[in-house]
């Protein structure tokens, strides 16, 4: 059972790291961030609905048991959907301004932010280990943010991406705390994920309705990239994460989450022609170690 859990966790992290290799080609083909994420969410919603219907069929459950949620849980599900959606859009915006490997690594500081939020808002004790890891992660971030030899325009662009991805990490941290500290923690994971995606997609619908152009995929390759975004870093990643937590618990699952930025770095080098410097590699390693220590403690 444990070996199966580790495999599930590794697959969940690795598939989430495929975000940039599907998003970047869509950007290059002329799609904007809102259009990319809207199609990602809509495709993922359809896939999640099919998965839930299949579960109803195999377990002989009525549809109402799988899709029904209590009315008093709706505001919290809407808030969780908006937080998840905000995290997604900020991360995808950062891909315009910095290498995807660095963006994915900076996003990975969310476990430390969760520890800080739990301390500030729920009076959890902040240990010296967490403080030390926070300092180590900050030093790693500083190394990733070194822009020696860059032009003023490149520096400005990098820091726009930096602010976007750190805001994305913060939104995801609040989302995780919300899942743990609200009533929706009592709802099964598949319905929660389905409704988070449904309500999260509203932010793109509203933005597009307010004037942001909707760009529909116009080629087979673009549709394949949209399907890839909906399937691999969304549905497969979420399902395998849930299965991994059932088998080995949240701590080990989060530790194997370190494969996500590693996957993004490797795929960025192979498919997108990106590169990392030795200093950036040291900064990434410092963040991985700091986050892993915090997660292992928790």
């Amino acid at each position: 059972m444990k070996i199966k859990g580790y495999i599930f966790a590794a697959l969940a992290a690795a598939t989430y790291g495929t975000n940039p290799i599907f998003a970047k080609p869509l950007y290059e083909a002329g799609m904007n961030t809102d259009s990319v994420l809207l199609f990602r969410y809509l495709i993922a919603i359809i896939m999640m609905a099919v998965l839930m219907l299949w579960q109803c069929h195999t377990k002989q459950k009525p549809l109402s048991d799988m899709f029904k949620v209590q009315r008093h849980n709706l505001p919290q599900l809407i808030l969780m959907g908006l937080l998840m959606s905000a995290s997604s859009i900020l991360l995808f915006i950062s891909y315009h301004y910095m290498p995807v490997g660095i963006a994915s690594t900076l996003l990975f500081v969310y476990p430390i932010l969760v520890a800080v939020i739990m301390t500030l808002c729920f009076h959890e004790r902040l240990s010296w280990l967490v403080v030390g890891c926070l300092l180590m992660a900050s030093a790693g971030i500083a190394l990733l943010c070194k822009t020696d030899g860059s032009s003023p325009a490149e520096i400005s662009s990098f820091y726009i991406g930096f602010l976007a991805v750190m805001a994305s990490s913060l939104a995801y941290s609040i989302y995780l705390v919300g899942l743990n500290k609200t009533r929706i923690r009592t709802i099964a994971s598949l319905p929660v994920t389905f409704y988070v995606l449904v309500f999260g997609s509203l932010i793109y619908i509203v933005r597009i309705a307010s004037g942001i152009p909707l760009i529909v995929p116009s080629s087979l390759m673009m549709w394949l990239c949209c399907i890839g975004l909906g399937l691999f870093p969304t549905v497969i990643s979420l399902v395998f994460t849930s299965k991994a937590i059932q088998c080995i618990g949240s701590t080990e699952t989060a530790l194997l989450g370190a494969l996500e930025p590693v996957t993004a770095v490797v795929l960025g080098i192979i498919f997108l022609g990106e590169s990392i410097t030795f200093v950036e590699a040291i900064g990434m390693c410092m963040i991985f170690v700091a986050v892993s220590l915090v997660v292992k403690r928790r």
Side-chain angles (χ1 to χ4, degrees), residues 9-181:
L11 287 172
T15 51
Y16 193 79
T18 62
N19 260 315
I21 67 165
F22 294 117
K24 279 279 193 174
L26 292 172
Y27 287 160
E28 292 168 0
M31 288 186 73
N32 55 37
T33 299
D34 290 88
S35 298
V36 169
L37 284 169
L38 177 61
F39 281 101
R40 174 195 177 182
Y41 271 55
L42 292 179
I43 290 170
I45 288 168
I46 294 170
M47 291 178 176
M48 286 296 299
V50 171
L51 181 61
M52 292 165 71
L53 290 171
W54 178 78
Q55 278 214 344
C56 287
H57 173 72
T58 56
K59 295 183 177 181
Q60 301 296 312
K61 288 185 175 182
L63 287 177
S64 59
D65 286 357
M66 185 62 72
F67 287 91
K68 184 179 179 180
V69 294
Q70 299 296 323
R71 185 179 300 175
H72 61 262
N73 289 327
L74 285 177
Q76 295 169 348
L77 285 169
I78 293 171
L79 177 60
M80 295 301 104
L82 294 177
L83 284 169
M84 173 65 85
S85 189
S87 179
S88 297
I89 197 169
L90 288 164
L91 176 63
F92 274 53
I93 286 173
S94 74
Y95 291 160
H96 288 290
Y97 298 100
M98 60 168 51
V100 296
I102 293 179
S104 298
T105 303
L106 291 171
L107 179 72
F108 189 59
V109 302
Y110 68 83
I112 294 180
L113 295 180
V114 168
V116 173
I117 292 171
M118 294 299 290
T119 300
L120 295 176
C121 299
F122 298 97
H123 309 294
E124 278 197 3
R125 179 173 164 270
L126 189 64
S127 69
W128 286 109
L129 174 63
V130 175
V131 174
C133 289
L134 184 59
L135 294 174
M136 184 189 299
S138 300
I141 290 171
L143 291 177
L144 289 181
C145 293
K146 286 181 70 67
T147 52
D148 298 342
S150 301
S151 67
E154 290 172 332
I155 293 172
S156 176
S157 177
F158 181 89
Y159 280 108
I160 291 173
F162 172 79
L163 292 174
V165 75
M166 293 306 294
S168 172
S169 186
L170 178 60
Y172 188 60
S173 302
I174 298 171
Y175 166 79
L176 291 177
V177 173
L179 285 183
N180 185 45
K181 292 295 182 180

Side-chain angles (χ1 to χ4, degrees), residues 11 18 26 49 87 123 142 163-164 178 182 184 233 255 264-266 270 275:
L11 287 172
T18 62
L26 292 172
S87 179
H123 309 294
L163 292 174
T182 62
I184 60 175
L255 279 172
V265 170
V266 172
I270 295 173
S275 61

Side-chain angles (χ1 to χ4, degrees), residues 4-10 12 239-250 253:
K4 190 184 292 186
Y6 288 126
I7 293 172
F8 288 153
V239 170
F240 278 133
T241 297
S242 177
K243 288 182 175 294
I245 290 173
Q246 291 173 357
C247 294
I248 59 175
S250 57
T253 301

